[in-house]
Amino acid sequence: MSSEIFIWPFNLGLYFILIYSVVRSTIWFRSLSRADKLRLQRGFFGMPFMQSIREIFMESLLHRRIFKKNPVLGYMHMSLAFGWFLLIVFGTIEADFFGEKHLNPPSHAIFFRWFNPEHGASGLASVFTQWMDFLLAFILSGLLLAIIKRFIPGMMGMKKTTKHTWTDRIALTSLWLIFPSRLLAESFTCGVHGSGGFLTGNLGAALASFLPAADMAPWFWWLYSLSLGTFFFLLPVTRYFHIPVELLLIFMRNSGITTADRWSAYSEVQTHACSSCGICISVCQMSRAAGINDMQSAYFIKGLRNERDIAAITANCLMCGRCDEVCPVGIELGPLRLIERRQGERPATRLKFIDRYGLTRRREQIEREPTQSYSYLVPEEEQQADVLFFAGCMTHLTPSVIVAMKKIMDSAGVRYRFMDEQGGVCCGRPLMLAGRDREARELINHNSDIIWKSGAKTLVTSCPICYKVFRESYYLEAQVMHHSEFINLLIEEGSLRLGYLHRRVVYHDPCDLGRGSGIYDEPRAVISYVAELQPVPEERSMSLCCGGSLGNLTLSSEKRALIAADAAGTLTRSAPDELITACPLCKKTFAQATETRVSDIAELVAVALPKPVRRTRSRSLANTVKVVADGL
Amino acid sequence: MSEQKANRFGFAINRSRAINYDTSDRKVREYVTLREPSFRLCFACGGCTAACTTGQHASFNLRRMNTYIRRGEIDNLREEVTRCMLCGKCLLVCPRGVNTRNVVAVTAEALRKLDRNEL
Ligand code: SF4
Ligand code: SF4
Ligand code: SF4
Ligand code: SF4
C-alpha cells in the first residue's frame, strides 16, 4: 500500500520527540542535586504524584488559572489542549474498538478515517463519529480565537503579545495547519464514501459535489501528517517545548523542589516551561506606566532560554513580584532574576547552535568578584534589651515616622532600645537585590551580632525592606515584626488606647510587606481600628509598586516618577482624605506624586493617641517642638 | 569624635592641589557617563553625602567620589567605591535626580574592566 507512506512524517516526528524528551529529562534529572533527586524519587511514589496528576489536569489541560484571569483566553487554551487530549484519547479508543485489531500503533488512531473510510454508519460507531466531529469542532473554535489573538491582541484583554523567532513561526504555522488539514482530509474521504459526522460528513458531501474528492483526499492526509511531523521535530527548539516541559515542572514542584539561590536543572526546566503567554507583560507597571516594553519576565525567560546577553534586561526590573503572582505556569520569576543578577557581567560568548539546542548544554556558574568591603565597621558594645527597634535607612529619611513610633511605644509602655538611633548599618537587602549576596553577608553579620548580643525577644522594624531580609536571611532568635504587626499586637493585648479619627483612608500594600512577606491583614486591622478604610482597585497580592523600588538599579528618576504617578492615581481614585502606606520608601515616593496627603500607618495611629496630659511648662514646650517637627 | 563632628555634614576642608588634566585618566568617567547618563546632572551639592549611611561609619563621600571620577583620580576612586552599602538614601535626597546607586555600581564595574584592560 504505497499510499500509506504519508504516515511516516508523523511517525518519525513522534518517535523523535519521545526519544528526545526521555533523553533530555534524564540529563536534567542527573544534574539535580542529591537532595532534589531524592525529593523527586519520593515524590514519584507518594501523594505528590497524585497532586501532580490533578494539577496537570486542571492547569495543563483545563488551564483553570488562565480561565480565572481571562475567560476567552482560557477557553482558547483549553479547547486546544483539552480538546486535543480528548481527541487522542477517544481516537485511540475508537481505533482499538473498531479497527482491525487491538493495540494499534499511534498512526492508526491518528489517521483512523483513512484506514476505515466507511466507519460510523450506524449504532455506537455513529455516535462515536459524531463525538469525534464535535471534538474537532471544539479545537477549531479555539484555533480561530488563537488566530484572531495573533492579529488583534487587544481582543483578549492583553495589550502585548510576545515576539516570535522564525523557528517559532514555522512551528506555529504547522500547529495551525494540523487541525484544518485534518478537517479537510477527513471531509474529502467522507465525501467519497458518504460517511462521517455532522461536520466532516456534511462538509465532505458539499466538497465532493464540485471537487474530485478522491484525488484531493491523499493530499490533505499528507499535509496533516507533515504538519504533525514538522511540529514534533521543531518542538525542542521553539517555545512550544513548554508543553511537555510543563508536565515535568509540575512533578518537580510538587515533589518539593524550589529555585533556591543557584542555577540548577530546575531553573532550566522553568525557563523551558514558559509558554510566552504574555500575561506577565500585561501586569508589569514598567510597560503600562513607563513605556518600557523590553524587560518583562517573558523576555527575560526567553533570553535565558536562548542564552542571549540579557544583563540590561536582568537589571531593569522593580522586583515588585506582580508577574510572579500571575504567571499561570508558576515560574519563580523573582528568584530566577536574582540568580542571574548574582552572576555579574557575563563574558560575551555565544553558544554554538549545537550547544544551545543540543543535549550537552550546561550553563556555567560564574562567581561575581566582590566589589564592596565593610571591614571598617567596628562591632558594637553589648546592650541588653527585650524589644529592639530598628528604624532602617529609609525611615531615617522620614523622621516623622520615627517620632510616631516612639510616641506609640511610649504610650503603650513598651521598654525598647532604639538600635539604629545614631544611624545604623544597612540591612543588606539592597545589596542582595543587586546580586551582591557576599557583600550583603558582611552587613548581615554585623547587624546579627548586635541583635544576638542584646538578647532581644522581639525585633521591630519600620521598613518592609529590612523586615523581609531579617525574616529570610538572618538567623535570629528574636521574633521579627513589622511595626504594623507590632501595633496590631499592642491594640489586641489592650496596651494601646486609641481614639477614632473621622477620616476616609486607603491603604497601599508595600511590595516587600504584602507580596514579599504575606502581611496583608494586620495593617488593615490597625487602620480599620482608627479610621474608615476604603478598598482600592488593585490591592493585596496584586497591589501596585510605588516605583521607588531599590530592586532596580538602572531605572531613571523620570521613569520612576511616571510609575509613581500612575500608581498614586489608581490608589486615590476615590478621592480619600489620606493615602496610608507602611513603608518609608513608598511614603517618600508617593508624596511627590500626588496631592493627597500620604502618611505611614504609624503616623496615623500616633494621631489617634489620646492627647498627653500637660505636666510642666518645659515638657509641653518640648511637645510643641515635637509637634512642629512632625508637621515638617 | 572630632573627626565625626567635622564630617557631620559630609564636608571637610580638603588640601589644595593642582590637577593635571593632560595626565588624568578619562576612561572611567567616559564609561560611567555612558552607562549612567544622569551622572552628568550632579552639581556637587553634597546632599547625598549628608544623608549617607556609610558616612556615619567611615570616611566615605559620594560627592567626593563623583569628583574623583570627573578628575580621573583612579587610585583614590578605587578605595572610595568599595565602601558604599547601596542603601539608596542618597537616591531619595538628590535634588538633580542622579541615579546615585548605579553610579557606584557602574564605577566599580569600570574599575574591574580597567584592571582587565577591557576599557
Ligand atoms: S513567565 Fe509566566 S506569565 Fe510570563 S510569559 Fe512565561 S508563562 Fe506567561
Ligand atoms: S517584577 Fe515587577 S517590574 Fe519586574 S518584570 Fe515583574 S511585574 Fe515587571
Ligand atoms: S547608597 Fe551608598 S552612597 Fe548612597 S546613601 Fe547609601 S551608602 Fe551612602
Ligand atoms: S545629591 Fe545629587 S547633585 Fe548633590 S552631590 Fe549628590 S549626586 Fe550630586
Side-chain angles (χ1 to χ4, degrees), chain A residues 345 369 371-374 376-377 393-394 396-397 423-426 430-431 434 436 550 553-555 557 585 588, chain B residues 36 53-54 56-58 81-89 92-93 97 99 101-102 104-105 108-109 112 116:
Chain A
E345 311 108 61
E369 303 158 49
T371 54
Q372 257 71 12
S373 149
Y374 309 104
Y376 53 78
L377 292 175
C393 298
M394 289 296 155
H396 278 284
L397 289 179
V425 165
C426 175
L431 280 165
R436 293 160 202 234
L550 293 180
L553 256 179
T554 56
L555 190 63
S557 56
L585 182 52
K588 271 239 160 283
Chain B
E36 185 48 65
T53 306
T54 302
Q56 286 160 330
H57 299 274
V81 79
T82 59
R83 295 187 180 141
C84 163
M85 301 179 188
L86 288 187
C87 73
K89 277 167 94 175
L92 291 188
V93 296
N99 197 359
R101 291 169 78 225
N102 203 31
V104 175
E109 200 176 289
R112 276 200 307 280
R116 292 200 299 253

Side-chain angles (χ1 to χ4, degrees), chain A residues 172-209:
Chain A
L172 183 66
T173 314
S174 57
L175 177 65
W176 280 3
L177 279 176
I178 291 173
F179 298 102
S181 62
R182 175 176 171 135
L183 174 70
L184 289 172
E186 289 196 338
S187 298
F188 277 119
T189 303
C190 292
V192 175
H193 296 272
S195 57
F198 70 92
L199 187 64
T200 50
N202 292 332
L203 184 64
L207 290 173
S209 65

Side-chain angles (χ1 to χ4, degrees), chain B residues 11-115:
Chain B
F11 300 103
I13 295 169
N14 290 334
R15 273 177 290 126
S16 70
R17 67 226 145 102
I19 303 293
N20 184 346
Y21 278 101
D22 289 337
T23 56
S24 75
D25 192 340
R26 284 189 215 119
K27 283 192 209 119
V28 173
R29 184 185 67 193
E30 276 156 19
Y31 186 82
V32 173
T33 326
L34 188 74
R35 298 290 299 270
E36 185 48 65
S38 71
F39 172 68
R40 265 182 294 195
L41 298 176
C42 170
F43 60 177
C45 69
C48 49
T49 306
C52 182
T53 306
T54 302
Q56 286 160 330
H57 299 274
S59 159
F60 171 73
N61 182 327
L62 188 61
R63 174 178 146 281
R64 187 172 63 200
M65 196 190 94
N66 287 354
T67 310
Y68 288 152
I69 299 174
R70 286 216 186 83
R71 290 183 180 163
E73 293 185 40
I74 304 299
D75 290 331
N76 289 332
L77 195 55
R78 221 178 272 283
E79 220 174 280
E80 199 84 21
V81 79
T82 59
R83 295 187 180 141
C84 163
M85 301 179 188
L86 288 187
C87 73
K89 277 167 94 175
C90 46
L91 199 66
L92 291 188
V93 296
C94 176
R96 301 281 286 166
V98 178
N99 197 359
T100 45
R101 291 169 78 225
N102 203 31
V103 170
V104 175
V106 169
T107 308
E109 200 176 289
L111 292 176
R112 276 200 307 280
K113 291 209 162 153
L114 196 69
D115 293 343

